[in-house]
Amino acid sequence: MDDVIQTFTKTLAPYVSLNFLKDFTQSLYMPRIRGARLQRFEIETAEKPLGNQQIPIYAMEKLPTLPDELTTWLQNQVPWCKDGFYLPEEVKIGQTLVHQTGCFYVQEPSAMGVVEVLQPKPGEWILDLCAAPGGKSTAIGKKLHGSGWLVANEIHPERVTVLAENLERCGVQATVTQSDPSILAAAWPEIFDAILVDAPCSGEGMFRKSAEARQEWNPELPAKCAERQKNILHEAVKLLKPGGRLVYSTCTLNPIENEWMIDWLLKHFPLRLLPINNLPNWSLGLDIPGIHPDIVKHVRRCWPHLLAGEGHFIALLEKVAPSQTTSFNHSIKKSPQREKTKSNPKDSTHLWLDFLNETWQASIPDEWRFPIQQGNVLFSQSPLPKPLVPVKTLRPGLALAHLREGKLIPHQALASGAHPSAFAKSLDLPGQEALAYLRGEAMAISTNQRGYLLLTWLDTVPLGFAKAVPGRLNNLYPKGLRRVLNS
C-alpha cells in the first residue's frame, strides 16, 4: 500500500501545498467512513398521502418515531444530505429487518452528495448512465416521489443484476437497461431532463476503503479511465435535452479525470458550468493553469482529511443548445405512444386485471393496464417513447406479476414498489413474525381475509405477499430472498 500511495500522492504535488499533501496522505491510513441513507422514511417533511398520484409509490411516511433499529444506529447526520447519517464501523446491519425491507441504503457519505447536486424533481425523466450497484439510483427514485421516470443503466451483466435487486428492495420503479451509452443515445436522443454520469474511474478516493482499488491502480490508469469517460460523456450529451442538467462525478482525485475532464466538456459541447451551493464545507476545484476559469470555483471536491467522507469529485453542467446530430419528435413526451405488446397473450392481461379488481383499491395507473410480458413476468409500461433502435432491457418497468401454469402470482417488486394503502387487503405483522416471514417460514396466522394480501411491518413498510387460506397464510416471499436476519 505504501508504494501505491507514495506514487499516487506525487501526482497531486504540483497542485497542493506540502502541508496539505502531508495531511491528506496521513488520512489514507485512517479507518474508512461509513454511512446509511434513509429510503422509506422522510426527515423534516410532512407525511405524503396517496392523494391523486397516478402511480402509487412505495411507503415514504413520516412516522411519529423511527424504528428503534434506526434510531439506535443513526445519530450523526451527514451535513449535505438530510436523509444521510454516519454509521459506526462496528455496526453490522446488512442482515437486519430494516435493511432487507429497504428502509435504508448503506452508502458512503460523500457519495450521497451526488444526487443532492443533481436535484431530481417529480415529473422529470432521469437517466443514471452508470448506475450499479444502485445507491444513487435509489436516491433518485426517492426524490421523484413516484412522478416522472428513472432509467438505470449498467452495461456489465453481473452488476446490472445487483442494480435491479437493489431497486426492487428499495421499492423504486424504473426501467433497467444493459446497453452501451451509444445505443441509448441512438434510441432516446435529447429526451432526459437530467443525467447522472457517476463515471468508472481510477478509484483513488476509495484507497482506504478498498484494497482492490489500491491493487488495481497504476500511474497510467487515470489516462486510460479518462478516455473511457470521454466516450461516455459524449453520448450523455446527446441524451440530454436542451436546458437539462448533467452531473459528472468520480470517486477519484487526480485532475485528469476531474478538472481536465470538465475543461474538455466545456470546449467540445454546448454546456455551461453551474454553481454548486448545497455541499457545505466541500472544497473548490484544483487551480490548474489554462483550464476554464469557472471550473475552480464551481466544481466541488471531498478530501478525506478535511471532511468525514471518502474522496469524491462532483460537477454540475447545463446543456445550452441542441446537439447537432439529433432530431427527435419531442411531442412524444407529451403524449407517449403506449405499446400494447402483442407478445402479451390476452388471457394474461385478463388475469392481471382480475387480480387488480380483487386486490387494488386505488385508481389503476394507465401504465399498468396493458403490461409488457418478458418470459413469464408481466411488467408495467414506462412513459418513455418507443426507442428508435433496440435497447437491451432487463426490466422495462415495475415487475407486476409472475405467470405460472395458467395462474397469476403477484411479484415481490409490486409489494415493494406500491404504496401499502393502495392494497384492499393487507395485514400488519409485529417484528418477530415479520422476521419469520422473511425466513420463509409457514405462517400459522388466521384471518378473515382470503386470497392474496400484502404483509407489512409498522403499517407502512411492505414485506411481501401471502395467500390467505383457512387457518394459515401461505408464504409467498421469494425463495432467493429468504434470509435468517439478526433483528
Side-chain angles (χ1 to χ4, degrees), residues 289-338:
I291 65 172
H292 193 286
D294 286 344
I295 293 176
V296 63
K297 63 182 179 180
H298 284 342
V299 305
R300 290 294 180 267
R301 281 175 166 263
C302 178
W303 294 95
H305 67 298
L306 299 178
L307 285 175
E310 307 304 319
H312 230 90
F313 174 91
I314 305 176
L316 173 64
L317 304 102
E318 180 185 44
K319 187 172 181 178
V320 297
S323 299
Q324 295 180 357
T325 58
T326 59
S327 58
F328 198 87
N329 183 4
H330 290 283
S331 65
I332 292 177
K333 183 169 183 181
K334 299 178 182 178
S335 180
Q337 179 182 353
R338 305 208 180 280

Side-chain angles (χ1 to χ4, degrees), residues 38-53 55-64 82-83 120-123 139-147 417-422 459-460:
L38 293 178
Q39 182 72 28
R40 291 196 185 272
F41 300 96
E42 291 284 339
I43 296 294
E44 299 174 353
T45 58
E47 182 173 324
K48 294 178 175 61
L50 188 60
N52 294 320
Q53 294 173 165
I55 302 179
I57 57 171
Y58 56 93
M60 291 198 307
E61 308 290 346
K62 182 182 179 184
L63 302 179
K82 68 180 178 63
D83 291 331
K121 301 175 182 64
I140 292 170
K142 180 175 184 179
K143 289 182 179 292
L144 288 178
H145 296 310
S147 175
H419 198 289
S421 62
D459 291 319
T460 57

Side-chain angles (χ1 to χ4, degrees), residues 174-253:
T175 296
V176 181
T177 57
Q178 187 191 343
S179 291
D180 187 272
S182 62
I183 300 297
L184 295 180
W188 290 310
E190 291 195 328
I191 73 165
F192 290 100
D193 299 285
I195 295 176
L196 169 59
V197 176
D198 187 46
C201 66
S202 56
E204 297 157 352
M206 298 291 106
F207 274 2
R208 69 180 179 185
K209 175 183 176 181
S210 169
E212 183 180 0
R214 298 191 298 270
Q215 293 167 359
E216 292 182 351
W217 189 89
N218 61 70
E220 292 75 37
L221 186 59
K224 292 180 181 178
C225 291
E227 288 306 309
R228 184 182 183 188
Q229 291 155 2
K230 287 179 179 179
N231 291 334
I232 294 171
L233 288 167
H234 185 266
E235 305 303 331
V237 176
K238 297 177 186 177
L239 286 152
L240 188 64
K241 75 177 188 180
R245 308 181 305 285
L246 171 65
V247 165
Y248 173 76
S249 65
T250 72
C251 58
T252 202
L253 294 167

Side-chain angles (χ1 to χ4, degrees), residues 267-289:
K267 288 177 178 177
H268 290 86
F269 301 99
L271 299 168
R272 70 181 181 106
L273 263 177
L274 298 178
I276 297 173
N277 300 315
N278 59 344
L279 295 179
N281 300 320
W282 283 52
S283 300
L284 302 179
L286 295 177
D287 191 0
I288 301 172

Side-chain angles (χ1 to χ4, degrees), residues 130-134 153-166 176-178 198-200 212 228 394:
C130 314
N153 181 69
E154 177 56 51
I155 195 169
H156 297 286
E158 292 182 1
R159 287 171 58 81
V160 75
T161 300
V162 174
L163 168 64
E165 291 171 350
N166 279 324
V176 181
T177 57
Q178 187 191 343
D198 187 46
E212 183 180 0
R228 184 182 183 188
L394 187 69

Side-chain angles (χ1 to χ4, degrees), residues 223-452:
K224 292 180 181 178
C225 291
E227 288 306 309
R228 184 182 183 188
Q229 291 155 2
K230 287 179 179 179
N231 291 334
I232 294 171
L233 288 167
H234 185 266
E235 305 303 331
V237 176
K238 297 177 186 177
L239 286 152
L240 188 64
K241 75 177 188 180
R245 308 181 305 285
L246 171 65
V247 165
Y248 173 76
S249 65
T250 72
C251 58
T252 202
L253 294 167
N254 68 78
I256 297 173
E257 299 175 72
N258 293 326
E259 285 85 357
W260 288 349
M261 187 62 60
I262 301 305
D263 188 61
W264 174 81
L265 274 173
L266 295 175
K267 288 177 178 177
H268 290 86
F269 301 99
L271 299 168
R272 70 181 181 106
L273 263 177
L274 298 178
I276 297 173
N277 300 315
N278 59 344
L279 295 179
N281 300 320
W282 283 52
S283 300
L284 302 179
L286 295 177
D287 191 0
I288 301 172
I291 65 172
H292 193 286
D294 286 344
I295 293 176
V296 63
K297 63 182 179 180
H298 284 342
V299 305
R300 290 294 180 267
R301 281 175 166 263
C302 178
W303 294 95
H305 67 298
L306 299 178
L307 285 175
E310 307 304 319
H312 230 90
F313 174 91
I314 305 176
L316 173 64
L317 304 102
E318 180 185 44
K319 187 172 181 178
V320 297
S323 299
Q324 295 180 357
T325 58
T326 59
S327 58
F328 198 87
N329 183 4
H330 290 283
S331 65
I332 292 177
K333 183 169 183 181
K334 299 178 182 178
S335 180
Q337 179 182 353
R338 305 208 180 280
E339 182 181 356
K340 301 178 183 179
T341 174
K342 295 180 181 179
S343 63
N344 180 15
K346 189 174 181 181
D347 287 348
S348 300
T349 300
H350 287 165
L351 287 172
W352 167 242
L353 293 177
D354 288 344
F355 168 81
L356 285 179
N357 290 332
E358 179 184 349
T359 63
W360 197 256
Q361 63 182 5
S363 60
I364 299 175
D366 290 343
E367 289 85 353
W368 294 15
R369 293 184 182 275
F370 297 98
I372 299 170
Q373 185 172 340
Q374 286 190 183
N376 67 339
V377 180
L378 299 182
F379 292 90
S380 68
Q381 297 266 2
S382 85
L384 301 176
K386 185 177 180 179
L388 300 179
V389 299
V391 173
K392 187 174 182 180
T393 302
L394 187 69
R395 299 192 176 188
L398 181 69
L400 302 172
H402 296 278
L403 298 171
R404 188 178 304 165
E405 298 178 352
K407 296 181 179 180
L408 184 142
I409 302 170
H411 199 284
Q412 178 65 25
L414 177 62
S416 296
H419 198 289
S421 62
F423 291 92
K425 295 184 287 186
S426 63
L427 181 66
D428 196 60
L429 300 181
Q432 289 304 311
E433 290 184 352
L435 289 170
Y437 171 78
L438 297 179
R439 290 194 295 267
E441 295 181 5
M443 311 293 291
I445 299 175
S446 182
T447 174
N448 292 329
Q449 302 181 87
R450 292 292 179 266
Y452 294 115

